[in-house]
Amino acid sequence: MNSNNYRYLNKFRNYILILLINLIVISCISISNSTESYEGKWVSLGGNWLLDIDSNGEYTEYDFTSISCQISRTDNIQEFGDRISLSNDTLKIKRGVIQYSYIRSNKDYELCDNKLTEEIKNDPLFNFEVFSSTIFENYAFMELNSINWIELYEVSKEKMIKKPTNKTLLEVTQTILDEINDNHGYIEPSIEYIEEFENDNSVNEIGDFLISNLVSDNHMIDEYTRDSRIVRWGKMNDSIGYINVKAMFLISDLGITQKEIENLGFERAYDKKYYSLNEGEYIEMERLSMNETMSKVMNDLNGFKSIIIDVRFNGGGQDAVSLELLSWFNDSPKLMARQSLFYNSKESPTWDIIIESQEKHFTGDVYLLTSQQTGSACEVFSMGSMVLPRFKRIGMRTMGAMSTTLEKELPNGWKFSLSNEYYRNLEGEYFENQGVPIDYKIDYPDDRQEFFRLVMEDLESDKREILKAVKQVEN
């Protein structure tokens, strides 16, 4: 080897050595940032969550109120992947489209250190107090709905004191959710109590998936759907494509086995798998599944002059799924709304909601069918369509349940939810209790079952009414 080659080889070795040292240093810094810098207690700006993170990144998430504190989840912060970040001593965790912010806390949170006895966990009166505290400290629309909370609380507590049973607890909590007019509010007892309270004489109702499938079967002259149980698509006539989206969730394959479905039923099996996952991880799985589905849809429908998207029977799901769906009808990223959370009797800082775009997006006219049964995340889809110029909304105003659900659990294991989020358009308006407006009205009954029966009894009439509305809007 000549001297020039030797010097060159030496320089090359030195270069590689320096590069490796830099990579090791950067890696160490990265590891340090991912654990030690997150160490400590962090309280959320909205939602009443407490994160306690140790030096190894192991965390305990607590769900707390002014009178209670219980463990919600334990894991390592690595499960958040790139959805967790630290900026100016504010910890941020992205779950779907919501960017939860946490600030450091030096409080003791003594309630979190005190384990509840089984007797207290199952005490109906204590569970009522935890439920009431959660509502009072997190519900965003007391003022909007003119709620006299003190009066409602005292009347409800009196009923509980008179008869402190689980049956009374269920009746009282359901009444409170009805009284505060929370469109996202629900209370779900544990399985043993669901069986106890089930009414054998209940009337069989028409389900949203059933009516949605009947409409799809009738309205498409050629169906192209494949590998999809939630989104169906095909040809309505020679110039109009048709997409029916039954929900903004249940799209991803969570690895649920047929045996689990047979033992638990699909919904319970899905819920069990869902609750075992990190929320952000689950939402991303749903978004990616919608992306895969819409890629197939666009391959089949991109040649049509226009597309009808039917979400009249879609009660919601995940906002991230709605935004993914919108992206397939958008040519460039667009700001559609701003979000914030109810926190300490006021609003948290806001964050932007952006509709991304897809390279193979649809460029024709889009007619969005909505009704009073179009709710929650599907209303986000309807609201987003307002900033996309080729969209026209036909039918009725949506449900008016825009706020993302804040899901909680009582000490006795009962799950419940409430609204604690503000969703405003670019003009600062929010459509809570009002619904997203339409461009052309088709008059549907307010009652859910009456509406479903009306459509089911004359599917051809429903189809004619839709095509008539599209023609009117075109002209």
Side-chain angles (χ1 to χ4, degrees), residues 30-40 42 86 89 104:
S30 176
I31 292 169
S32 175
N33 284 340
S34 67
T35 56
E36 292 176 13
S37 56
Y38 293 131
E39 185 180 359
W42 302 85
L86 189 59
D89 216 28
R104 286 191 185 274

Side-chain angles (χ1 to χ4, degrees), residues 390-445:
R390 303 203 71 89
F391 267 79
K392 294 295 180 184
R393 289 168 305 284
I394 295 172
M396 296 284 283
R397 276 181 175 265
T398 60
M399 187 184 295
M402 296 291 298
S403 173
T404 298
T405 300
L406 175 64
E407 296 185 341
K408 294 287 186 176
E409 186 173 319
L410 293 176
N412 65 5
W414 294 13
K415 292 179 172 60
F416 69 105
S417 73
L418 64 150
S419 302
N420 84 318
E421 178 197 59
Y422 302 97
Y423 228 123
R424 287 188 170 88
N425 67 8
L426 302 185
E427 286 71 45
E429 304 170 299
Y430 55 77
F431 299 109
E432 198 73 24
N433 296 343
Q434 303 175 54
V436 178
I438 38 87
D439 299 299
Y440 184 93
K441 185 176 182 180
I442 300 177
D443 204 6
Y444 299 129

Side-chain angles (χ1 to χ4, degrees), residues 218-222 224 234-242 301 303-308 367 463-464 466-468 470-471 474:
N218 185 79
H219 290 15
M220 291 185 283
I221 59 175
D222 280 324
Y224 308 143
K235 175 181 178 180
M236 197 167 191
N237 63 30
D238 289 340
S239 62
I240 301 175
Y242 177 83
L301 300 187
F304 284 89
K305 179 184 176 184
S306 59
I307 288 177
I308 290 172
Y367 302 99
K463 183 176 180 178
R464 286 194 301 271
I466 292 167
L467 292 173
K468 176 185 172 184
V470 167
K471 191 171 183 179
E474 283 178 339

Side-chain angles (χ1 to χ4, degrees), residues 249-383:
F249 73 128
L250 303 174
I251 305 166
S252 59
D253 179 9
L254 300 184
I256 302 170
T257 65
Q258 188 60 38
K259 187 176 180 180
E260 287 173 315
I261 294 172
E262 290 170 1
N263 291 339
L264 300 172
F266 180 75
E267 286 191 17
R268 284 182 180 173
Y270 197 94
D271 281 348
K272 183 180 178 181
K273 194 72 72 171
Y274 159 66
Y275 283 112
S276 71
L277 296 170
N278 169 266
E279 185 182 14
E281 176 188 5
Y282 159 74
I283 293 172
E284 181 62 8
M285 288 172 67
E286 293 281 46
R287 186 195 68 79
L288 290 172
S289 294
M290 177 58 87
N291 177 278
E292 291 173 9
T293 299
M294 285 306 297
S295 179
K296 298 171 188 174
V297 173
M298 285 298 109
N299 282 336
D300 294 336
L301 300 187
N302 238 331
F304 284 89
K305 179 184 176 184
S306 59
I307 288 177
I308 290 172
I309 304 177
D310 195 344
V311 294
R312 291 176 296 168
F313 319 106
N314 187 322
Q318 296 295 340
D319 292 357
V321 173
S322 292
L323 291 171
E324 176 63 37
L325 181 56
L326 282 165
S327 73
W328 290 88
F329 302 92
N330 185 27
D331 60 355
S332 61
K334 289 180 178 65
L335 174 65
M336 64 154 278
R338 292 183 175 89
Q339 278 183 305
S340 58
L341 297 174
F342 182 77
Y343 171 66
N344 277 356
S345 302
K346 57 183 184 295
E347 283 191 56
S348 71
T350 63
W351 60 92
D352 293 342
I353 303 299
I354 306 291
I355 304 173
E356 300 297 341
S357 61
Q358 300 288 342
E359 184 179 350
K360 294 182 179 180
H361 63 276
F362 185 71
T363 57
D365 294 326
V366 184
Y367 302 99
L368 179 61
L369 302 181
T370 65
S371 76
Q372 304 95 316
Q373 304 308 317
T374 304
S376 190
C378 198
E379 294 184 89
V380 174
F381 182 76
S382 303
M383 186 179 180

